Amino acid sequence: MSPTTPPPPAGLTAGVWTIDASHSEAAFSVRHAGISKVRGTVAITAGELTVGEDLTTSSVTATLDPATVSTGDAGRDGHLQSADFFEVETYPTWTFTSTSVRAAGSDFVIAGDLTLHGVTQPVELATEFNGTAVDAYGNLRAGFSSTTTISRKDFGLTWNAALEAGGVLVSDKVAMTIEISAIRQA
């Protein structure tokens, strides 16, 4: 390891960490009608973190299920799952595969390829390591919080409706927040 390549944070041991889908989630918010935000979640169904001896040998993969989109409104969820937006029958999974991990002060940036709606685009996740803990079952867990903003149009998600006063119903920018709990594998 070179002096310019920092090791993983203290407590995050090298090896494979499996994302615990029942304690992990991707959330989003998008401006609606230019005046409010709609928030929702999408389930993370699988994933893995490989922690190397330094950041350059670390990686992350994750799979999400767009059919699990939940905004608190069944009608809106159905519309998001339809051909107007996610086309979940044609594109039943979204994936993220990291291409690099680097330090950013006391936090990290995980760069990678996000594939949703059949389109792959590079994204960068500003990531905070939240520490480790041993759970009630003896599993060593690590927690992470990540954020990014994507453009719907970059992923071919272009459905919209014009507003009478000008503007559009759904903004192009989507803020995403990802919470991960991962379990260290033996």
Side-chain angles (χ1 to χ4, degrees), residues 31-36 163 168-171:
R31 188 145 315 269
H32 179 262
I35 59 170
S36 65
L163 298 174
V168 291
L169 188 63
V170 183
S171 74

Coordinates of all heavy atoms in Angstrom, one line a residue, residues 31-36 163 168-171:
R31 N -38.7 16.7 -7.1 CA -39.6 17.8 -7.0 C -40.8 17.6 -7.9 O -40.7 17.1 -9.0 CB -38.9 19.1 -7.4 CG -39.7 20.3 -7.2 CD -39.0 21.6 -6.7 NE -38.0 21.5 -5.8 CZ -38.2 21.7 -4.4 NH1 -39.4 21.8 -4.0 NH2 -37.2 21.7 -3.6
H32 N -42.0 17.9 -7.3 CA -43.3 17.6 -8.0 C -44.0 19.0 -8.2 O -44.1 19.8 -7.2 CB -44.2 16.7 -7.1 CG -45.5 16.4 -7.7 ND1 -46.6 17.1 -7.3 CD2 -45.9 15.6 -8.6 CE1 -47.6 16.7 -8.0 NE2 -47.2 15.7 -8.8
A33 N -44.4 19.3 -9.4 CA -45.1 20.5 -9.8 C -44.3 21.7 -9.4 O -44.8 22.8 -9.3 CB -46.5 20.6 -9.1
G34 N -43.0 21.6 -9.2 CA -42.1 22.7 -8.9 C -42.2 23.3 -7.5 O -41.6 24.2 -7.2
I35 N -43.1 22.7 -6.7 CA -43.3 23.3 -5.4 C -43.2 22.4 -4.2 O -43.1 22.9 -3.1 CB -44.8 23.9 -5.3 CG1 -45.8 22.8 -5.6 CG2 -44.9 25.1 -6.3 CD1 -47.2 23.3 -5.3
S36 N -43.1 21.1 -4.4 CA -43.0 20.2 -3.3 C -42.1 19.0 -3.7 O -41.8 18.9 -4.9 CB -44.4 19.7 -2.8 OG -45.0 18.9 -3.8
L163 N -47.3 22.0 -17.0 CA -48.1 22.6 -16.1 C -48.7 23.9 -16.7 O -48.1 24.5 -17.5 CB -47.4 23.0 -14.8 CG -46.8 21.9 -14.0 CD1 -45.9 22.4 -12.9 CD2 -47.9 21.0 -13.5
V168 N -42.9 21.8 -15.5 CA -43.3 20.4 -15.7 C -43.7 19.8 -14.4 O -43.3 20.3 -13.3 CB -42.3 19.6 -16.4 CG1 -42.1 20.0 -17.9 CG2 -40.9 19.6 -15.7
L169 N -44.4 18.7 -14.4 CA -44.9 18.0 -13.2 C -43.8 17.4 -12.4 O -43.8 17.5 -11.2 CB -46.0 17.0 -13.6 CG -46.7 16.3 -12.5 CD1 -47.5 17.4 -11.7 CD2 -47.6 15.2 -13.0
V170 N -42.8 16.7 -13.1 CA -41.8 16.0 -12.4 C -40.4 16.5 -12.8 O -40.1 16.6 -14.0 CB -41.9 14.5 -12.7 CG1 -40.8 13.7 -12.0 CG2 -43.2 13.9 -12.5
S171 N -39.6 16.9 -11.8 CA -38.3 17.5 -12.1 C -37.4 16.4 -12.7 O -37.6 15.2 -12.5 CB -37.7 18.1 -10.9 OG -37.2 17.1 -10.0

